Each structure stands twice: as structure tokens, then as C-alpha cells.
Amino acid sequence: MSKKDLIICRCEEVTEEEIKKAIREGADNVDAVKRATRAGMGLCQSHTCYTLIVKIIHEMTGKPIKEILPATHRSPIRPITAEILAKSKNM
Amino acid sequence: MGKETMNVELAVVGGGPAGLAVAAKAASYGVQVTVFDENERPGGQLFKQIHKFFGSKEHQAGIRGHDIGYSLLSQCEEFGVKTMLNTVVWGIEKNMLGIQNNGRTYTIKTKKTIIATGASENPLCFPGWTLSGVMGAGAAQTMMNVHRVQPGQKALMVGSGNVGLIVSYQLLLAGIKVAAIVEALPKIGGYMVHAAKIRRTGVPILTSATICEARGENEVEEAVIASIDEKGNVMEGTQRVLPVDLICIAVGLRPLAELCWMAGCKFMFLPVLGDHVPIHDENMRSTVKDIYVAGDVAGIEEASTAMEEGRLAGIAVAEELGYLGSEEADEKKNLARKRLESLRLGPFGDTRAEAKRKLTESEVNR
Amino acid sequence: MKDRLKSTPGAWVISREILEASPGYPSKEELKRKPVIVIECPEEIPCDPCETICPRGAIVVGEPITNLPRIDQDKCNACGLCIPICPGLAIFLVDNTYSEKEATVSFPYEYYPLPKEGDEVNAVNREGEIACKAKVLKVRDPKSHDHTSVITIVIPKEYSNQVRGIELQQKVDKNE
Ligand SMILES: Cc1cc2nc3c(=O)[nH]c(=O)nc-3n(C[C@H](O)[C@H](O)[C@H](O)COP(=O)(O)OP(=O)(O)OC[C@H]3O[C@@H](n4cnc5c(N)ncnc54)[C@H](O)[C@@H]3O)c2cc1C
Ligand code: SF4
Ligand code: SF4
Ligand code: FES
């Protein structure tokens, strides 16, 4: 397996190369990478790939890890089906 | 579909050692407590820990993790703590929580909230890491000790911190062979006594070594390991192929703090505690009014520290809600802080103690 | 399976020097003279159940709790209570007075199946290498030990400083 095909986000099957491309094109934080590649939008809600993405951003941009903040958390933090949300309207 | 709102005086998110300790403590003074946990049973990490704990008598040393869990549960029961299991807390805003149970969502109104959601395992990526058979050490532990299934026949452990060492030992106890433990740093990360008991079974612990690749069709069949230099580069010619069907990753944990981010808590970057950690004061109160944190979410430590932080938070909340006079509360809080201090001594605890001090002394607390 | 019992060059080992320099390790003279408790816990970790359980006050950790456990062999009567309580499985009982040529080593053991009294087994050193043959003298697994058995084996005296356990009794796939 070549390093190029290395999958970083396994839920959305986003490779290292795709993430690097997004960063080269200006995505310099987790949110921007997420929007550009879908990495982190999967079922696990980026639990798995988050630190890996941070590491790549850090390596490519030189931005200190402490400044790379998690993607903005909007409810819900666990995947919930639309049907369930529709059932209860008061949140 | 009427309004489904519940009122709870103290909501505890997460039923691990930290959450249960908060609940038992606060309830013992009369606070009405409800614990929410996404799992089928409470206890968090504790029920996976079939080994005896370190610490002193007050910390229940020499007793196995799961037995400590049972005793916490019976305390909770005694003081009338309500638990809602199979319940995910998926949102938080001020004094409102969004929860989901049995396919329905509800809104919970609370006076105080404790976030004790624990930690998540850091991944490691290398060619083949998405093959089945590569998993977090914690996941392997859950399979063995909770679900009683063998995650594999022959394993490679990546990481020699206490988690890597303890899970390796538990693999051996479950009759699974451990081909090797590899550690990228030049020295082992966990306690020597843990490493020594594994070595006595002949398992090699290789320092300055890493995994290069996992190979296999759909499942892991082989792992390639190699020595690395100080810069972390693989040294050519040192590669070895190990026939394994399980690769466990134990390269650290980080706080599972999404709810804290969502609530607007301020954070501090402290690598010894697992990177971004919610700032809290010496009563475990976060920077957001009425929200407290305890346990691994407030910095990766141990079950023993998680329980003490939980007790501390429980006392503080009971005091704020008026169930406990300030004099009595101070006395009790100081005892808990003392016990916490003693758990943060020695070469392993020193750096954590210092990082914790940075958190509690941060000016954002004021 | 074979490869597991060979030592791997460069693999981590707990250092004999560090152990012998720690205050839980008996002196050469004590090792010769009587059954002694050997504590192999040379690192400052917050832990003290060995102190709490000892009915004779022979093990002292004290304050702070990260002190290394110190043993007073004159107070110890080799009752062995401290062996199964240690979460680090780091306490052993070595008796070089067992017979003229033989010594016994008692150690904690949590694997199943347990060996049986009278069994011939392979004794292993701190690296898991087979050091010599051993005979199982005693297997103690009372409820109070909470699944940590204490096994006593008889070995040739010259190995009593290296032997710290036995080869796992789990069935091994012979094809490997
Ligand atoms: C292999 C291993 C060995 C260890 N050995 C020791 C040891 O010997 N001694 C020691 O002191 N410590 C040990 N620890 C550490 C100890 O397990 C942890 O520090 C401790 O469990 C932390 O407690 P906690 O309550 O903060 O979190 P957890 O135990 O992780 O509990 C958090 C709970 O919250 C739930 N939760 C999370 N998010 C939500 C949500 N949104 N909604 C609802 N529920 C949620 C989780 O499912 C979980 O049940 C070990 C850890 C590991 C992994
Ligand atoms: S063998 Fe008995 S007397 Fe000796 S140190 Fe252990 S517990 Fe104390
Ligand atoms: S009980 Fe064991 S690990 Fe703990 S201090 Fe005593 S010898 Fe060391
Ligand atoms: S691995 Fe990226 S979202 Fe799950």
C-alpha cells in the first residue's frame, strides 16, 4: 500500500493526499479541512480522525498544535436520525 | 407529542468513576442527582479493569477496578441517585441538556451540571491501519473483559504507557499471545512493575521501535515493526515481520470534551493532561456558571484521581445548592484535595500536579 | 511460540542493579540466612497496600506515599500476606534454607489454568527465559487472595536470585 492512499478519515474514506491538497489550497484549520474534504463528518464525528488531521495541519503549516482548535461543536455530538429529531420539537 | 422536559437538580453526564463519585457524594447530602450514561451499564472504564489498583487504602488500592465500581454503585443506590442508561447527552446550553433515550429526545433543565464524560483514545495511522484487527487498546479491553470475546489470537501492542502494559497483561490473562510491545520513545512509558510482570512471560518490550505497516487481505495477518532513530525515522534493515491478527493501539488518550466546547468553557493546552483541557478552579468548576468537570475529561489521569475529583465536585455542588454549610464543606474539600495531592506525587504525578495547578490558578477562573 | 522464550536483543529488562539497590531488596547475608521477602518495586509510584497489609509492620512506605517500600527482615516472619495484595505483582518470597541444594521461590500468579502441586514445570527468570526445572510445592488460591494465587516452587539453589515465575501453563499450539 502506498503512503499516498493512506486513509485518514475512515468513516468518510478521505486520504492523506486529499487532506494535504485541501491544506495547500488554504484550509488551515480543522473546520476548513472538514468542509473541503468531508473528513471528520462521518459516523464517529471525527473522534478517530481528529488528532490525525491536527497533526497534518501542524506538519504542513507549521502552526503550533495548541492553536489548532477542534472543529466547532454544534449539537448534536452523536449522530441522531432526522426522524428522532422530528419527534421532539422543543430543543 | 407534548413537551418532554424534565427537571433535575444535579445532572451528571457520564457514569464512570468520576460521575458516580460525584453522584454518590452530592446525593449523600441530599442533592437530587440523575446520572446519564450512553452505555447499557454504568461504571465507565472501571468495569473493564479487572486488575488490582494502585494507591492507598483510602483509594481502595489492592482492590480490582470492577469491585470498586460495584461499591460506588451501591452507594449511589443507597442515596437515591437516579441513573438513566442508554442515554446520550447530545447537546448543552446553559442549564439545559438535550438527551436521547430509546429513540426519543428530551430536554433536561438543571440547576447544576457535571461533565464527567471521560476520554477517547488517540489513533495512530500507518499503511493498513483501517484493516479489521487494528483497534484501540481500550476497545480490545472491552471485548475481553465486558463482552468476553477474544479480539484475536496473537497481538502486537503499540505503546508502553500503563494502558498498553495493562491491556497487554490482560490479553495474556485471556490466553491471547502477545508477540511484542513496541514503544517509540527510548524508555517505557508506564510503571516498571507492570512492565516487569509482562516480561516474566517472555513478551519482548522494544523501545525506540514502531509499527510501520499492517498487512492482510481484509483482516490483519502481519505487522511490520522496525527500530527508529531519535528523529522518529525508521532505521533501514531493522524491519521485522510478526504474524499477528490483532494490533492494539495505546498511544494516549485525550479528554472527550465536546460538551465543554459546546457549553463555551474556556480551555488550556496542556499536553501532559491530553492536550486541550477545560479550565477549572479548585472546586472543579469550569469557566461556565453551573457547569463542573471531573475525571479524565478534566485532564487524563487515573480512576483513583477521577473519583477524588468527583467527590470534590460533589461536595462543592452540595455546598452551592445549600445542602452543606461552608465550614463543613471546606473541611471536606480540603481532605479530598489532600488525597488528590498524594496521588499526584512522584515522577509520574509531578508533571500532572503542575499542569493541574496551572488550570486552577488560571486567571480566567476569577 | 518458540521465539517468545528466547530473549530478544535490545528488549527492555528491569535492571538487577536498580533492584538490588532498592530498600525492598534483602542483603546477600539475609538471603542466605532465612526465608526473605524480596520486593522488586524500585520506582516512586503512589502505592502502599504492602505496608497496610503487613501485620508485623515489616514493610514501611510512609509519607509521602511515593516512597519506595522498605523492608525490615527482622520483623518479617515470612507469612506471605503481602505477596497477593501487591497490584504490581512485585513481591516474592525466597527461601535459600529449604534444603542443602534447593531453594524455594514463592510468587504471585494470575493465569489459568493453575499448575498442580507436585507438577514438574519450567521456572523462568525476569525476562521469561527458562532458567531451570522446578517442582511445584504449593498452590494457594484462597478467596481472600481475590484471584491472585501464590505459587511456591522448588529449584536448585543457584537459580534463586533469577527465578521469578514459571512458564505459562496455557496449552500451546505445538505447530508453531
Ligand atoms: C487500560 C486502562 C487501565 C487503567 N488502569 C488504571 C488503574 O490501574 N488505576 C487507575 O486509577 N486508573 C486506571 N485507568 C484510568 C481510568 O480508567 C480512568 O482514568 C477513569 O476511568 C476515568 O474516569 P472518568 O469517570 O473520568 O471517565 P470514564 O470511566 O471514561 O467514564 C465516562 C463515561 O461517560 C460516558 N459518556 C461520555 N460521553 C457521554 C455523553 N455525551 N452522554 C452520555 N454518556 C457519555 C462514557 O460512555 C463513560 O461511560 C486505566 C485506564 C485504562 C484505559
Ligand atoms: S511476609 Fe508477612 S510479615 Fe513479612 S513483610 Fe510480608 S506481610 Fe509482612
Ligand atoms: S504494593 Fe507492590 S507496587 Fe505497591 S508499593 Fe508495595 S511493592 Fe510497590
Ligand atoms: S474517522 Fe473521520 S469522521 Fe470518523
Side-chain angles (χ1 to χ4, degrees), chain B residues 9 26 29 35 49 70 75 96 98 112 120 125 128 144 152 160 202 234 255 276 279 289 293 296 298-299 327:
Chain B
E9 191 169 24
Y29 299 118
V35 177
Q49 281 150 28
Y70 287 124
Q75 282 172 37
M96 305 256 266
K112 305 275 175 198
S120 66
C125 83
M144 283 187 294
S160 73
V234 168
H276 295 283
I279 295 174
K289 190 171 169 282
V293 288
D296 278 356
E327 221 165 277

Side-chain angles (χ1 to χ4, degrees), chain B residues 314-349:
Chain B
I315 301 164
V317 166
E319 180 190 7
E320 283 217 9
L321 291 170
Y323 290 90
L324 199 61
S326 68
E327 221 165 277
E328 195 185 347
D330 276 343
E331 195 181 307
K332 296 210 151 77
K333 285 191 286 194
N334 281 332
L335 282 175
R337 288 186 196 120
K338 266 229 172 73
R339 288 194 297 265
L340 270 173
E341 256 170 45
S342 81
L343 287 170
R344 291 179 184 140
L345 291 168
F348 287 90

Side-chain angles (χ1 to χ4, degrees), chain B residues 52 64 169 177 192 199, chain C residues 12 43 110 146 148 176:
Chain B
K52 292 181 181 171
R64 293 180 192 277
Y169 183 62
K177 288 168 204 155
M192 264 193 222
R199 281 299 276 140
Chain C
W12 178 88
E43 194 174 40
E110 297 187 322
D146 189 13
T148 309
E176 257 185 69

Side-chain angles (χ1 to χ4, degrees), chain B residues 234-257:
Chain B
V234 168
M235 290 162 36
E236 275 315 313
T238 61
Q239 284 94 340
R240 276 170 55 193
V241 178
L242 302 175
V244 295
D245 60 356
L246 172 64
I247 298 175
C248 289
I249 309 296
V251 296
L253 300 165
R254 82 201 135 90
L256 189 53

Side-chain angles (χ1 to χ4, degrees), chain B residues 213-272:
Chain B
E213 187 180 347
R215 292 182 185 153
E217 207 43 52
N218 295 305
E219 283 157 26
V220 175
E221 288 158 28
E222 289 174 350
V224 184
I225 61 167
S227 299
I228 51 176
D229 61 21
E230 312 87 75
K231 293 203 191 82
N233 298 320
V234 168
M235 290 162 36
E236 275 315 313
T238 61
Q239 284 94 340
R240 276 170 55 193
V241 178
L242 302 175
V244 295
D245 60 356
L246 172 64
I247 298 175
C248 289
I249 309 296
V251 296
L253 300 165
R254 82 201 135 90
L256 189 53
E258 302 130 313
L259 288 173
C260 301
W261 288 103
M262 206 184 280
C265 297
K266 294 214 165 58
F267 279 72
M268 195 181 273
F269 184 76
L270 294 163
V272 274

Side-chain angles (χ1 to χ4, degrees), chain C residues 6-99:
Chain C
K6 280 202 308 260
S7 78
T8 310
W12 178 88
V13 259
I14 194 160
S15 130
R16 262 292 267 290
E17 293 74 58
I18 293 182
L19 289 178
E20 285 173 2
S22 72
Y25 212 89
S27 70
K28 289 215 168 67
E29 187 270 323
E30 286 163 338
L31 273 164
K32 262 194 220 132
R33 177 161 57 91
K34 60 188 285 249
V36 283
I37 281 292
V38 177
I39 308 181
E40 306 204 344
C41 177
E43 194 174 40
E44 294 173 311
I45 54 178
C47 186
D48 71 3
C50 49
E51 172 178 38
T52 315
I53 198 148
C54 177
R56 302 174 67 95
I59 304 181
V60 176
V61 173
E63 291 269 343
I65 189 180
T66 44
N67 284 343
L68 297 183
R70 171 176 297 281
I71 180 147
D72 183 342
Q73 298 289 356
D74 294 330
K75 285 191 186 154
C76 167
N77 68 348
C79 71
L81 275 178
C82 50
I83 302 174
I85 196 74
C86 166
L89 306 191
I91 304 184
F92 307 86
L93 180 65
V94 175
D95 182 2
N96 281 310
T97 65
Y98 179 70
S99 76

